[in-house]
């Protein structure tokens, strides 16, 4: 029987549809030995402004039955801050319990990088960002809102279960073939003495079960410095939700920009979602200037999570080929249009 997968496609807003279009083009070219059925969902900012609906329950229920989700970007300048983020993106992450946000940071040979002293070969790390709790839990509130005595609280929720499952994923990843068996915990234990203490204790305890993985701890501010000055010191980095959000934009910058940064929201026991991490890029909408490599990299992660390693390898070869031809990774300075970059990936993937 041929293997067959049902993939939910959410092109979303801004440049989302353009980059997802290129990803699907590449998918069509590398698919061999398995079938893909796609289901398209028109949710996003436009849909919200038209209907007032973010993520209808019926759509959420359908998403639960898929093999994977491929997402472009969610966000709209006319929607109030947080409505689409919390109502769609974070709601899918939470409801489908995608508790790991996996964000590889790797630079491809031939790329010119923003940090001049660093060679592409030195940049090969992967962030394991906790993706289901922390400051993203939504806990907190207002007191006397709008008055001069206003109080606003925003609480970081860290459960032993949530921290342990994220750490376990990171330790397992660190000892996979191709990784360097080095795991760094990033936090701010010197100030966040409750949450940080839980993370550090859980990390130290779990490390005992993985003697082959060497462990290390770095404060989040120092991690920013090292990411720029000596990224080669990192292999697998595990951290909480907000630190992971911030650090992975810096990670994207050192690997060549948001145009190449891909991420996976993983529920290893359930339905995972794959996305370029760059967002809607309003300046590039409809101009054929957005770099589709991040979305194509997300497709590679999607294929590998399905176990389709050969197709994943083909996408990787295609990306490397495209990079070798491109003038820059920066949208607008690529030397090719969005769809031409997609064509280069197809060419490199099918040679
Ligand atoms: C990301 C984004 C999201 C996040 C936003 C859009 C809610 O910045 O995927 O990194 O903070 O997780
Ligand atoms: Mn982010």
């Amino acid at each position: 029987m041929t293997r067959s997968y049902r993939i939910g496609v959410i092109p979303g807003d801004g440049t989302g549809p353009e980059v997802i279009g290129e990803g699907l083009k590449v998918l069509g070219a590398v698919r061999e030995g398995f079938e893909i059925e796609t289901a398209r969902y028109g949710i996003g900012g436009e849909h919200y402004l038209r209907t007032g609906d973010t993520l209808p329950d019926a759509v959420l229920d359908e998403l639960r039955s898929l093999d994977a989700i491929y997402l472009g970007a969610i966000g709209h300048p006319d929607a109030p801050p947080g409505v689409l983020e919390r109502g769609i993106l974070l709601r899918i992450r939470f409801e489908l319990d995608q508790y790991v946000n996996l964000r590889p940071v790797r630079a491809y040979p031939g790329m010119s990088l923003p940090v001049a002293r660093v060679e592409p070969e030195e940049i090969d790390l992967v962030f394991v960002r906790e993706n289901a709790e922390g400051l993203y839990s939504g806990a907190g509130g207002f007191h006397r809102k709008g008055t001069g005595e206003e109080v606003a609280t925003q609480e970081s929720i860290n459960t032993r279960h949530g921290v342990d499952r994220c750490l376990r994923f990171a330790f397992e990843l660190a000892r996979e073939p191709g990784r360097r068996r080095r795991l760094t915990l990033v936090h701010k234990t010197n100030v966040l003495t409750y949450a940080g203490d839980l993370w550090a204790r859980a990390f130290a305890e779990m490390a005992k079960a993985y003697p082959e993985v060497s462990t290390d701890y770095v404060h989040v501010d120092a991690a920013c410095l090292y990411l720029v000055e000596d990224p080669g010191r990192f292999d697998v980095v595990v951290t909480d939700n907000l630190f992971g959000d911030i650090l992975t934009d810096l990670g994207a910058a050192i690997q060549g920009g948001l145009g190449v940064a891909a991420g996976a929201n993983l529920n290893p026991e359930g339905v995972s979602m794959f996305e370029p991490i760059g967002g809607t890029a309003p300046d590039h909408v409809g101009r054929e200037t957005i770099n589709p490599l991040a979305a194509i990299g997300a497709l590679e992660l999607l294929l590998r999570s399905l176990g389709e390693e050969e197709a994943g390898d083909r996408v990787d070869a295609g990306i490397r080929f495209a990079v070798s031809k491109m003038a820059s990774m920066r949208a607008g300075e690529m030397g090719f249009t969005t769809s031409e970059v997609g064509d280069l990936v197809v060419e490199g993937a099918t040679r």
Side-chain angles (χ1 to χ4, degrees), residues 85 89-90 93 101 103 129 136 245 248-249 275 277:
E85 291 84 350
L89 185 63
L90 298 181
R93 288 179 183 171
N101 197 320
R103 296 186 160 181
R129 164 186 174 190
Y136 279 67
D245 174 50
T248 54
D249 263 33
E275 53 174 336
I277 79 175

Side-chain angles (χ1 to χ4, degrees), residues 23-308:
L24 294 176
K25 182 161 95 185
V26 173
L27 176 61
V30 301
R31 190 191 59 75
E32 200 184 296
F34 59 94
E35 300 295 329
I36 295 269
E37 188 194 320
T38 55
R40 191 173 276 265
Y41 299 94
I43 54 178
E46 297 292 342
H47 180 258
Y48 165 73
L49 293 173
R50 233 179 20 250
T51 63
D53 243 355
T54 45
L55 176 59
D57 290 340
V59 171
L60 185 61
D61 282 337
E62 277 186 47
L63 296 179
R64 292 182 202 282
S65 72
L66 298 166
D67 292 305
I69 301 167
Y70 191 34
L71 173 84
I74 298 287
H76 200 291
D78 301 337
V83 169
L84 300 171
E85 291 84 350
R86 291 220 81 88
I88 301 179
L89 185 63
L90 298 181
R91 181 140 181 256
I92 296 175
R93 288 179 183 171
F94 288 165
E95 293 269 359
L96 300 188
D97 205 16
Q98 295 163 340
Y99 61 84
V100 164
N101 197 320
L102 188 74
R103 296 186 160 181
V105 176
R106 39 174 204 178
Y108 300 94
M111 281 173 67
S112 75
L113 300 175
V115 183
R117 277 187 292 119
V118 174
E119 295 298 325
E121 295 68 35
E122 290 171 62
I123 301 185
D124 179 16
L125 55 134
V126 51
F127 280 98
V128 175
R129 164 186 174 190
E130 200 291 320
N131 208 34
E133 38 183 65
L135 276 160
Y136 279 67
S137 65
F142 291 112
H143 182 56
R144 302 197 172 135
K145 187 177 177 183
T147 72
E149 297 84 48
E150 178 163 353
V151 178
T153 61
Q154 195 89 46
E155 292 155 22
S156 174
I157 305 292
N158 301 264
T159 68
R160 183 64 196 244
H161 164 73
V163 170
D164 269 343
R165 65 183 181 172
C166 177
L167 290 174
R168 185 164 304 284
F169 184 94
F171 273 102
E172 291 290 331
L173 179 63
R175 66 173 184 184
E176 271 185 18
R179 299 256 45 117
R180 304 191 302 281
R181 301 185 169 211
R182 186 175 173 81
L183 179 63
T184 306
L185 171 67
V186 172
H187 209 285
K188 186 75 184 176
T189 55
N190 52 347
V191 175
L192 307 184
T193 50
Y194 308 121
D197 192 72
L198 192 166
W199 274 87
R201 261 184 295 122
F203 186 70
E205 277 171 39
M206 197 169 293
K208 292 185 195 140
Y210 293 88
E212 70 280 30
V213 176
S214 70
T215 56
D216 183 22
Y217 170 80
V218 175
H219 289 318
V220 64
D221 45 354
C224 293
L225 187 91
Y226 293 143
L227 273 171
V228 172
E229 298 215 319
D230 184 20
R233 69 176 284 146
F234 295 121
D235 178 17
V236 180
V237 180
V238 64
T239 191
D240 88 348
N241 207 339
L242 186 65
F243 293 147
D245 174 50
I246 298 166
L247 287 169
T248 54
D249 263 33
L250 183 53
I254 64 162
Q255 79 180 131
L258 284 169
V260 276
N265 301 277
L266 299 177
N267 177 341
E269 297 86 38
V271 184
S272 299
M273 177 164 71
F274 301 82
E275 53 174 336
I277 79 175
T280 54
D283 296 350
H284 294 282
V285 176
R287 296 177 50 210
E288 277 275 323
T289 53
I290 189 72
N291 189 342
L293 288 182
I296 295 169
L299 173 74
E300 177 185 339
L301 294 171
L302 184 157
L303 288 166
R304 294 194 193 282
S305 89
L306 295 175
E308 297 296 343

Side-chain angles (χ1 to χ4, degrees), residues 8 114 329:
M329 295 301 110

